[in-house]
Amino acid sequence: MATNLERSTQTRQRLLQEARQLFATHGYSATGTELILQQAGVKRGAMYHHFADKLALFEAICKQICEEAAIAIDAALPEVKQLSPKDELIEGSIAWMQFMLQADIRQIMLIDAPTALGWQRWQALEQDWGTASLRQGIEAAVSAGQLQPRCSIELLTTAMNGALNALALHAGAPNSCVSTLEWQRAVKALWEAQFSSQIGGSPL
């Protein structure tokens, strides 16, 4: 027989699972709390025991997806072969794109999250789970002497993160004609431009 703690955990997981599917299918705004409760077979009081409201549930799903993204990126980077910081940035970005281009992930994280959470909460989520690892990769490339950014590392991180988000939105759009090979080339071009900009040329 399940304990109260086990039943509570199961309820929370059921809410996360069902709400995530509904948000991915219908979008955040079109998914009402009642529909989530019906789909999960959970009473309103049980939901509020775990989440203050629909937005809190949505934010928990976003954090869950961010954790999955980190795992996917780590899994994509070879453990045996030592990659340079430059190659890690490129391969990590490609792995991130591959993860984000899943239709359900794209809908939740790139389309709905910025609007539903608002700029401040979205930025906090980005900094904790997305841009933090990106910044670490850039800092590693700078420390290795492979990259000499012409702006602050913070601004470069913001710019590259924004570019990758925009690319994922474009490449993953319905009826998009962008092939995997094309967006991978675009990711590489973004980084190659940063690494080659320090060779020759004059500062802006």
Side-chain angles (χ1 to χ4, degrees):
M1 181 178 295
T3 64
N4 289 337
L5 178 59
E6 289 172 336
R7 284 193 293 271
S8 178
T9 300
Q10 290 169 1
T11 296
R12 187 179 190 279
Q13 290 303 316
R14 192 158 60 250
L15 283 164
L16 288 168
Q17 178 180 343
E18 297 299 334
R20 178 169 172 170
Q21 183 175 349
L22 289 170
F23 289 142
T25 302
H26 305 292
Y28 177 80
S29 297
T31 301
T33 301
E34 282 300 328
L35 181 59
I36 296 172
L37 296 175
Q38 292 173 10
Q39 197 73 15
V42 171
K43 294 182 178 179
R44 187 175 291 270
M47 173 180 164
Y48 290 152
H49 175 72
H50 295 282
F51 306 101
D53 50 25
K54 185 181 80 167
L55 182 59
L57 173 57
F58 179 77
E59 187 170 11
I61 291 169
C62 290
K63 291 179 179 179
Q64 183 183 64
I65 291 174
C66 287
E67 292 173 357
E68 293 171 6
I71 294 172
I73 293 171
D74 287 342
L77 298 177
E79 296 182 3
V80 178
K81 182 180 178 182
Q82 185 69 31
L83 294 177
S84 69
K86 171 185 174 180
D87 289 337
E88 281 200 5
L89 281 169
I90 293 173
E91 294 304 320
S93 296
I94 289 175
W96 179 90
M97 280 282 296
Q98 194 75 57
F99 181 83
M100 285 294 173
L101 282 174
Q102 299 174 82
D104 57 335
I105 304 299
R106 178 179 174 276
Q107 176 66 45
I108 292 173
M109 294 301 295
L110 297 181
I111 296 177
D112 285 336
T115 302
L117 296 176
W119 188 85
Q120 288 186 332
R121 291 171 79 170
W122 169 243
Q123 284 297 301
L125 187 66
E126 281 262 278
Q127 289 171 8
D128 288 343
W129 300 100
T131 57
S133 60
L134 182 59
R135 177 171 182 149
Q136 289 172 3
I138 291 174
E139 288 174 340
V142 172
S143 296
Q146 290 186 305
L147 180 62
Q148 297 176 9
R150 297 179 179 180
C151 62
S152 70
I153 289 178
E154 179 182 359
L155 285 180
L156 179 58
T157 301
T158 300
M160 295 303 291
N161 182 64
L164 290 170
N165 282 342
L167 182 58
L169 279 169
H170 178 73
N175 302 320
S176 171
C177 297
V178 179
S179 68
T180 300
L181 180 59
E182 286 176 316
W183 68 251
Q184 287 183 350
R185 283 175 174 169
V187 170
K188 291 176 182 178
L190 276 171
W191 285 114
E192 290 294 346
Q194 296 304 317
F195 285 98
S196 64
S197 65
Q198 66 191 60
I199 302 174
S202 58
L204 295 177

